[in-house]
Amino acid sequence: MSELLYSLSNNRENKSKFHELCDNKGSTLTLFQIKDGDKVGIFTSKSWDIVTKAWKEDEKIFIFNLNQGKKYLNIRKRYSIFCDQNYGPYTDYFGINNNKSMKSLYHDAININNTYENGANILPSNGKAKYYDLTEVEVYKIFFKDN
């Protein structure tokens, strides 16, 4: 089960609103709809927040590309998610960082290989850092059924 916490279309381009609605919620799935049609995302079992102002480690985090039908596992767990009031959902070299708006997805193909297995393949970027225009960002709280 899931619950929509934040969407760019409903909550506008606002990092403060992202944190108001998504912080301290536990496991989340963030979906990025890129203007060119790619759909990618981040799953994290850790909560976003603005208090940490640092990296959180998450053994379960992964990035995925729905168009490729592939997921990319984190190989540097120490750099799982970055929590700070100036960042939207962000993991090492991938996500919404403080240099751009909630409508821009950052992907650094050179360095993401240090954090995710085959990370440069997540999105095309001609082997360098690139910003992608987003048409939608959605963050869902994930509920797990007890076994």
Side-chain angles (χ1 to χ4, degrees), residues 13-50:
E13 191 177 353
N14 187 327
K15 290 176 189 158
S16 296
K17 193 68 167 174
F18 162 78
H19 286 289
E20 176 189 327
L21 298 172
C22 301
D23 283 3
N24 305 307
K25 300 292 185 182
S27 298
T28 57
L29 182 71
T30 303
L31 298 173
F32 303 97
Q33 172 71 46
I34 300 171
K35 192 174 185 179
D36 69 7
D38 273 310
K39 295 176 184 172
V40 295
I42 304 168
F43 169 81
T44 180
S45 66
K46 301 295 180 181
S47 289
W48 301 102
D49 70 68
I50 60 171

Side-chain angles (χ1 to χ4, degrees), residues 15 18-19 48 82 84 86-90 96-98 102:
K15 290 176 189 158
F18 162 78
H19 286 289
W48 301 102
F82 192 75
D84 184 281
N86 296 317
Y87 285 71
Y90 185 78
I96 296 171
N97 70 14
N98 66 345
M102 293 291 282

Side-chain angles (χ1 to χ4, degrees), residues 23-121:
D23 283 3
N24 305 307
K25 300 292 185 182
S27 298
T28 57
L29 182 71
T30 303
L31 298 173
F32 303 97
Q33 172 71 46
I34 300 171
K35 192 174 185 179
D36 69 7
D38 273 310
K39 295 176 184 172
V40 295
I42 304 168
F43 169 81
T44 180
S45 66
K46 301 295 180 181
S47 289
W48 301 102
D49 70 68
I50 60 171
V51 177
T52 303
K53 297 187 180 184
W55 290 102
K56 284 187 180 182
E57 187 172 320
D58 184 357
E59 292 290 321
K60 297 178 181 175
I61 191 170
F62 60 88
I63 294 176
F64 56 92
N65 183 315
L66 291 174
N67 299 65
Q68 299 169 359
K70 292 183 180 176
K71 79 177 185 180
Y72 299 87
L73 300 177
N74 188 307
I75 53 178
R76 278 194 332 166
K77 305 290 186 233
R78 186 175 131 184
Y79 299 102
S80 296
I81 63 171
F82 192 75
C83 293
D84 184 281
Q85 65 188 5
N86 296 317
Y87 285 71
Y90 185 78
T91 183
D92 207 12
Y93 302 110
F94 181 87
I96 296 171
N97 70 14
N98 66 345
N99 297 322
K100 292 285 183 175
S101 70
M102 293 291 282
K103 288 187 176 180
S104 289
L105 178 69
Y106 176 68
H107 179 249
D108 187 339
I110 297 169
N111 294 310
I112 203 166
N113 270 330
N114 296 329
T115 308
Y116 289 87
E117 59 185 8
N118 302 310
N121 296 327

